[in-house]
Amino acid sequence: MCTHFTSASNITYDSDNSLYSSMLIDYELKDGNVTMFGKFSGPLDYTPYLIIDDAQGCTDVLNNTIYCGYPLFPSGNKLLVFLSEYFNYTQIYGYANRIIIRENQALMAENKPFTQTNMCQTFNSVYDSNRNLSISTKSCCTFLQDLASPSPVSATTTTSGSKSFSNFNFLTLFLSLIAAFGIFKV
């Protein structure tokens, strides 16, 4: 099963293909949740958010970064991810990704799993017809895990008996930075 994904979305003007904004999102499927961490760029007043399944919004934005989680259901999931923004009092949506999870498989489409030879999918659609903007996304599986075998633990033991981790938990770092930012902001 694919447990890690990356999607790169570009919103461009139709007339000359110049870039309006872009977003890179990392997805991790773990412990019954999908965690999303996105970095975006665009005009100074551009503040996107993620919408999952037309219900759950990821609106926590700090320094052009979006972070949120969403629960996965044991019965299966079809996650549709949209980039969205408010412009002139109108909500704009753009299709950014689709991940289907059925019976411990991550699928591109119904009955079409991600595989070693087929790791990416592309989405193209209109983003905002009034401003002549389109969105294009390339989404790729970045890690396939064999669920039949346990995953290796990435820890080593030092001579003093304490553990040092070779793969630092990025989520812990990110949440620590948010906490530190909140403390020093006052």
Side-chain angles (χ1 to χ4, degrees):
M1 176 171 166
C2 186
T3 58
H4 292 80
F5 298 87
T6 299
S7 68
S9 298
N10 289 318
I11 300 172
T12 57
Y13 290 96
D14 296 336
S15 59
D16 61 3
N17 258 0
S18 63
L19 189 64
Y20 170 70
S21 67
S22 63
M23 181 175 279
L24 180 65
I25 306 171
D26 289 317
Y27 303 80
E28 180 180 17
L29 305 175
K30 184 178 178 183
D31 299 329
N33 291 295
V34 59
T35 303
M36 292 166 279
F37 176 79
K39 293 289 284 179
F40 66 90
S41 64
L44 291 177
D45 60 347
Y46 177 67
T47 304
Y49 59 98
L50 301 175
I51 295 176
I52 304 102
D53 294 339
D54 201 29
Q56 178 71 27
C58 299
T59 58
D60 295 330
V61 176
L62 176 65
N63 297 327
N64 291 1
T65 302
I66 292 176
Y67 173 81
C68 72
Y70 188 73
L72 298 174
F73 303 102
S75 59
N77 298 267
K78 187 172 188 177
L79 304 174
L80 301 176
V81 181
F82 297 89
L83 286 177
S84 183
E85 70 173 305
Y86 280 100
F87 184 79
N88 288 342
Y89 306 103
T90 303
Q91 189 170 13
I92 310 299
Y93 289 92
Y95 191 43
N97 204 352
R98 172 185 62 215
I99 303 170
I100 302 168
I101 302 163
R102 302 264 190 269
E103 298 174 5
N104 288 328
Q105 284 193 346
L107 309 171
M108 296 178 161
E110 293 296 343
N111 301 316
K112 185 177 178 185
F114 287 91
T115 64
Q116 289 285 1
T117 57
N118 196 11
M119 301 281 276
C120 297
Q121 58 186 338
T122 303
F123 307 102
N124 296 300
S125 63
V126 172
Y127 181 73
D128 183 356
S129 59
N130 291 331
R131 292 183 287 170
N132 295 314
L133 291 170
S134 295
I135 184 169
S136 176
T137 300
K138 183 172 185 176
S139 174
C140 296
C141 173
T142 56
F143 184 78
L144 282 168
Q145 178 181 0
D146 182 2
L147 295 179
S149 63
S151 59
V153 176
S154 60
T156 56
T157 304
T158 62
T159 54
S160 65
S162 65
K163 291 186 177 184
S164 63
F165 293 91
S166 58
N167 292 330
F168 185 76
N169 184 336
F170 186 76
L171 173 60
T172 303
L173 174 62
F174 181 72
L175 294 175
S176 298
L177 289 172
I178 289 175
F181 181 79
I183 291 170
F184 295 118
K185 188 175 179 182
V186 175

